[in-house]
Amino acid sequence: MRRHALNAVGLLVALFAVFPVVWMVSTSLKSTPEIFQGGPLPFPRSPTLEHYRTILTGDLIPGVTFVDFFRNSVLVAIATVLVSGLIALLAATAVARFRFRLRTSFLVMLLVVQMIPLEALVIPLFLMIQRLGLYDTLASLVLTYVGFSLPFAVWMLRGFVAAVPVELEEAAAIDGASRAQIFRRILLPLVAPGLAATSIFSFIVAWNELIFALTFLNDQSRYTLPVAMTFFFGRDDTAWGPVMAASTILTIPVLVFFLVVQRRMVGGLAAGALKG
């Protein structure tokens, strides 16, 4: 009886979580009159792809299409995942393998950084980006997103690196392997589940962020998808059909990325929970 009750609660939670996504996709397939006059029906009476054609073939601003914004977001997200993953792995290896002064303070600082509201950092980071000459470039977003994703990535990967027996590395060194070979052939494959788990976090941070993208970019052709979404919201009206179609497209890369690293991510989260 208890198992059935837990299953029922789990099903309700799943339905509650999935319902907004179903409503989003359903609304994107409705015609504009049906969205406003069709009543609260969850599924379209006559599905249409007109909203998808509108955003994919038309210019959101003169000379710039939705595809251009999509490309910008993909470049920023992939660069963030690669750079943050590399730096986090090196930092986690240093923290887990070496003993140095202020090591504990460094780990505590990683947690403290996560507690700072993003809104409090907009102006300082904006001034820093200007002084570095990166204003109005996609590199400014990559640098910012890497900074925000690194504390979580380093903290999580530290547990995976610490769980790898040092004896494996010592045995490889005795066999004549260099430090680079030990890192590439032994350590990297064993911490790959942790990299997969942290890459999901980094990808989502870079893919969904709006405030810094809106602040650091001036050229509209460099806008990312979250900023492009604001073009559908007017002062007196909102194009709900294109909004839902664009939101549906916005979720596809996240789902694809998740499916690609799903096995390693699940194993990484479980291992991280056990190995601390």
Side-chain angles (χ1 to χ4, degrees):
M1 184 65 182
R2 183 179 180 182
R3 176 183 295 181
H4 293 302
L6 291 176
N7 291 337
V9 172
L11 180 61
L12 290 175
V13 172
L15 292 175
F16 183 80
V18 171
F19 178 76
V21 178
V22 174
W23 188 274
M24 174 185 70
V25 177
S26 174
T27 304
S28 70
L29 297 175
K30 294 180 180 179
S31 62
T32 300
E34 186 178 354
I35 292 176
F36 293 99
Q37 303 172 9
L41 295 177
F43 301 104
R45 295 190 183 94
S46 301
T48 177
L49 297 177
E50 63 172 307
H51 302 306
Y52 291 93
R53 286 192 292 267
T54 298
I55 64 175
L56 292 177
T57 61
D59 291 354
L60 293 183
I61 57 177
V64 185
T65 65
F66 186 85
V67 177
D68 297 322
F69 297 128
F70 187 90
R71 182 180 62 250
N72 294 337
S73 286
V74 169
L75 291 175
V76 170
I78 292 178
T80 300
V81 169
L82 295 178
V83 175
S84 64
L86 176 61
I87 297 177
L89 181 57
L90 296 176
T93 303
V95 172
R97 285 289 187 260
F98 303 105
R99 297 295 181 264
F100 51 89
R101 296 181 61 182
L102 302 179
R103 174 175 172 271
T104 303
S105 300
F106 173 75
L107 294 175
V108 173
M109 184 184 66
L110 293 179
L111 296 179
V112 173
V113 169
Q114 295 288 81
M115 302 177 186
I116 302 176
L118 296 182
E119 292 78 7
L121 300 176
V122 173
I123 294 178
L125 287 176
F126 176 77
L127 296 177
M128 183 186 72
I129 291 298
Q130 278 192 321
R131 291 175 182 176
L132 292 174
L134 297 177
Y135 177 68
D136 200 22
T137 64
L138 296 180
S140 65
L141 297 184
V142 174
L143 180 64
T144 303
Y145 299 156
V146 167
F148 283 126
S149 60
L150 271 180
F152 172 82
V154 173
W155 184 268
M156 187 168 187
L157 285 175
R158 180 189 66 89
F160 286 90
V161 176
V164 177
V166 181
E167 291 76 12
L168 292 177
E169 301 177 15
E170 294 175 346
I174 293 176
D175 291 337
S178 64
R179 288 186 177 272
Q181 291 174 327
I182 293 173
F183 182 84
R184 186 177 67 255
R185 297 182 179 180
I186 296 179
L187 188 62
L188 185 59
L190 292 176
V191 300
L195 280 173
T198 55
S199 66
I200 286 289
F201 176 80
S202 300
F203 188 89
I204 292 177
V205 166
W207 189 258
N208 292 333
E209 202 283 321
L210 171 64
I211 297 177
F212 292 102
L214 192 60
T215 304
F216 295 166
L217 299 177
N218 183 52
D219 187 348
Q220 292 181 328
S221 65
R222 294 191 176 97
Y223 280 170
T224 55
L225 280 178
V227 182
M229 292 284 293
T230 62
F231 293 150
F232 298 116
F233 296 89
R235 177 177 298 180
D236 302 318
D237 188 23
T238 299
W240 287 112
V243 165
M244 294 302 177
S247 300
T248 302
I249 296 176
L250 190 64
T251 61
I252 293 176
V254 179
L255 293 176
V256 172
F257 190 81
F258 174 81
L259 292 175
V260 169
V261 300
Q262 178 184 12
R263 293 183 179 179
R264 289 191 177 276
M265 189 198 72
V266 174
L269 291 176
L274 293 175
K275 299 171 184 176

